[in-house]
C-alpha cells in the first residue's frame, strides 16, 4: 500500500471524498486515505468512508470555544495520523491562519469555479446570474484567505443557456471528481511544488497536465 498518507476533511455529502477513495484503490495510486475527518456527525460522507473501511473521526466545531481551539484539536488528530496531505472536500469551515501556516503546502482544497473567479458560496447561481459562458473547478493550495492559494489543476465546463444551478453543479462535479485525484497524484509523486505564489509542475511532458481538461484516466 502507498506510504503517502492523506486525510480528507468533509462537512457533508462527500462525493469528492468518495472519488479520492476510489482513485486510491488503484494499485499505482501514490497515496492512501488514512483518515476522514468531519466537523459534523451527520455528514453523509462518513457512512461512505466507513463502508470503504477508512478510519473516520468527528470533531464538532460547536464543542470548542473558538476557531483556534477547534483547529488545534484537528491538528492534533491529523498529526497523530501522520498524514502528509490534507484534502478539504466540501469542508465548510473557515480555517485559522495558524492552521493554514501549520499545514502550509500540505493543505489543498477543491472549489467549483475557475478561481480566482467566483470565490465563496452559491457559486453556480452567481455564475448563471453573471452570464459567464465557461465555468469549471479548481484544486489549489490553501492560504488563509477563503478560496485563495496557488492553483494546482483546473478543468473548464461550458455553460449552456438552459442550465440551472443544479444541472451546472452536476456537470462541474463530474470534473471535480477527475481533477482532485489528479492533483493528489501530482503532489504525492513530488511533481507539484509551490514556487513564487504559483505551482510548478514537473514532468511537463505529460500531456494531461498541460490540458485544461485532463482526459479520463
Ligand atoms: C463541491 O462542489 C466542492 O467543490 C464545494 O463543495 C462541494 C462539496 O461536495 N466546495 C466549496 O464550495 C469550497 N469553497 P461533496 O461533499 O460532494 O464533495
Amino acid at each position: 500500500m502507498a506510504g503517502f498518507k492523506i486525510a480528507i476533511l468533509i462537512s457533508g455529502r462527500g462525493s469528492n471524498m468518495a472519488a479520492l477513495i476510489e482513485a486510491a484503490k488503484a494499485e499505482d495510486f501514490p497515496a492512501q486515505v488514512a483518515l476522514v475527518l468531519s466537523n459534523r456527525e451527520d455528514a453523509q460522507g462518513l457512512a461512505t468512508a466507513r463502508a470503504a473501511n477508512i478510519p473516520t473521526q468527528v470533531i464538532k466545531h460547536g464543542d470548542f470555544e473558538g476557531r483556534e481551539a477547534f483547529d488545534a484539536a484537528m491538528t492534533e488528530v491529523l498529526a497523530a495520523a501522520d498524514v502528509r496531505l490534507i484534502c478539504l472536500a466540501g469542508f465548510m469551515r473557515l480555517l485559522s491562519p495558524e492552521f493554514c501556516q501549520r499545514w502550509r503546502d500540505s493543505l489543498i482544497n477543491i472549489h467549483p469555479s475557475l478561481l480566482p473567479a467566483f470565490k465563496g458560496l452559491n457559486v453556480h447561481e452567481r455564475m448563471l446570474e453573471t452570464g459567464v459562458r465557461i465555468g469549471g473547478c479548481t484544486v489549489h493550495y490553501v492560504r488563509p484567505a477563503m478560496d485563495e492559494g496557488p492553483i494546482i489543476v483546473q478543468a473548464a465546463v461550458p455553460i449552456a443557456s438552459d442550465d440551472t444551478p443544479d444541472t451546472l453543479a452536476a456537470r462541474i462535479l463530474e470534473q471535480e471528481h477527475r481533477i482532485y485525484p489528479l492533483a493528489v497524484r501530482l503532489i504525492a509523486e513530488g511533481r507539484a511544488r509551490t514556487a513564487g505564489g504559483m505551482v510548478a509542475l514537473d514532468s511537463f511532458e505529460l500531456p494531461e497536465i498541460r490540458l485544461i481538461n485532463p482526459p479520463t484516466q
Side-chain angles (χ1 to χ4, degrees), residues 10 12-17 89-92 109-112 120-121 123-124 146-147 173 176-177:
I10 63 168
R13 179 178 56 182
S15 72
N16 278 291
M17 172 210 73
F91 185 71
M92 294 313 201
N109 180 45
I110 188 152
H111 183 75
L121 296 174
V123 172
H124 311 96
M146 187 179 50
D147 298 322
L173 196 64
E176 294 184 39
H177 296 165

Side-chain angles (χ1 to χ4, degrees), residues 10-187:
I10 63 168
S11 299
R13 179 178 56 182
S15 72
N16 278 291
M17 172 210 73
L20 288 171
I21 291 174
E22 194 54 37
K25 287 182 186 165
E27 205 153 298
D28 73 337
F29 198 76
Q32 81 180 80
V33 185
L35 177 68
V36 168
L37 189 57
S38 175
N39 64 316
R40 300 180 57 112
E41 60 189 347
D42 60 352
Q44 253 178 281
L46 286 171
T48 314
R50 289 185 191 121
N53 289 319
I54 307 286
T56 60
Q57 196 150 340
V58 176
I59 303 180
K60 290 192 257 177
H61 56 269
D63 288 350
F64 295 84
E65 282 290 317
R67 197 177 298 287
E68 284 75 18
F70 169 66
D71 287 1
M74 286 202 299
T75 284
E76 204 172 305
V77 167
L78 292 162
D82 200 23
V83 297
R84 304 265 301 274
L85 182 68
I86 300 164
C87 304
L88 305 180
F91 185 71
M92 294 313 201
R93 299 286 306 168
L94 284 178
L95 295 164
S96 60
E98 290 77 13
F99 187 89
C100 295
Q101 187 54 38
R102 166 66 178 79
W103 298 101
R104 191 181 169 92
D105 294 347
S106 301
L107 176 61
I108 64 176
N109 180 45
I110 188 152
H111 183 75
S113 76
L114 290 174
L115 290 173
F118 300 103
K119 296 172 180 171
L121 296 174
N122 305 316
V123 172
H124 311 96
E125 288 86 340
R126 288 192 286 127
M127 284 196 280
L128 294 175
E129 280 165 17
T130 310
V132 293
R133 307 292 191 223
I134 299 174
C137 46
T138 303
V139 181
H140 64 97
Y141 283 104
V142 172
R143 296 293 180 258
M146 187 179 50
D147 298 322
E148 228 173 82
I151 289 166
I152 307 160
V153 189
Q154 292 186 305
V157 174
I159 296 175
S161 56
D162 60 351
D163 260 329
T164 65
D166 285 348
T167 60
L168 180 57
R171 282 207 317 291
I172 292 177
L173 196 64
E174 263 177 54
Q175 297 302 321
E176 294 184 39
H177 296 165
R178 299 172 71 202
I179 66 169
Y180 218 171
L182 174 60
V184 170
R185 174 184 285 280
L186 290 170
I187 293 166

